[in-house]
Amino acid sequence: MTVTQVPQVGQTGGLAQRYARALYDLASEQGKLPDVLGEVKALRTAISESDDLRKFLADARMDIRQGQTVSNVLMSKLGFGDVLRRFVGVIADNRRLPDLASILDGVLALDSALRGEVVAEVRSAQPLTDMQRSQLQARLAEAGYSRVSMTERTDAALLGGMTVRIGSTLFDTSIAGRLTRLQNAMKGAA
């Protein structure tokens, strides 16, 4: 495993942070924050587990009407409340569906920060099982991160293993990372 310090501007980009703050504040003002946070987690999980949904959201050729139609159908099918449904509608209207996952991550990161937790961004080649998730939380607790909230993403480019980013610290146990380190070592030996 390699641990490196990686410069990082923030958990998400400025645009995603602004949208995340807007949703968080809206849900808080309406007294629906716990419900909205649960729905945000469920939608984030649905996005991370569905290749088709990720491809659809990333499609830049989609026009506003298509985005609105699909986002309305998706929100209805998943049974989400009015606050998140209208918020995703605004995201679709503003042609920001490719940023939806980052915005949802921003909402979860903001909530974690306000509760005093550290956010760990976990990227793995395959979705984590419940057992792997609990083992990872135990390892992070041993490393001094006792209050950790995890956001998970699936990235087939890792080939195997995972990367865990907490702030500017990156723990890399991925096969792709090992191959890169091996390639760099070979260059240094030549």
Side-chain angles (χ1 to χ4, degrees), residues 3-75:
V3 178
T4 55
Q5 294 291 323
V6 179
Q8 187 176 12
V9 175
Q11 285 296 89
T12 57
L15 174 89
Q17 286 177 338
R18 288 191 301 272
Y19 276 104
R21 173 56 88 172
L23 176 59
Y24 192 89
D25 290 346
L26 176 67
S28 182
E29 288 171 8
Q30 293 186 0
K32 297 180 180 179
L33 187 60
D35 294 336
V36 170
L37 288 174
E39 292 172 356
V40 165
K41 288 177 186 174
L43 181 56
R44 185 63 187 98
T45 300
I47 291 170
S48 68
E49 292 178 352
S50 172
D51 289 333
D52 292 335
L53 182 55
R54 281 194 307 275
K55 288 176 187 175
F56 170 77
L57 291 173
D59 189 0
R61 298 171 297 162
M62 178 179 22
D63 67 10
I64 291 175
R65 274 184 272 133
Q66 285 176 318
Q68 290 170 338
T69 302
V70 172
S71 67
N72 286 336
V73 169
L74 177 66
M75 294 294 106

Side-chain angles (χ1 to χ4, degrees), residues 47-112:
I47 291 170
S48 68
E49 292 178 352
S50 172
D51 289 333
D52 292 335
L53 182 55
R54 281 194 307 275
K55 288 176 187 175
F56 170 77
L57 291 173
D59 189 0
R61 298 171 297 162
M62 178 179 22
D63 67 10
I64 291 175
R65 274 184 272 133
Q66 285 176 318
Q68 290 170 338
T69 302
V70 172
S71 67
N72 286 336
V73 169
L74 177 66
M75 294 294 106
S76 296
K77 187 169 187 154
L78 294 174
F80 292 142
D82 192 47
V83 173
L84 188 61
R85 186 180 309 212
R86 286 185 295 131
F87 180 77
V88 172
V90 169
I91 298 293
D93 289 347
N94 294 339
R95 300 183 55 87
R96 300 288 185 205
L97 285 176
D99 300 317
L100 183 59
S102 295
I103 293 167
L104 297 175
D105 287 343
V107 172
L108 297 175
L110 178 61
D111 181 58
S112 294

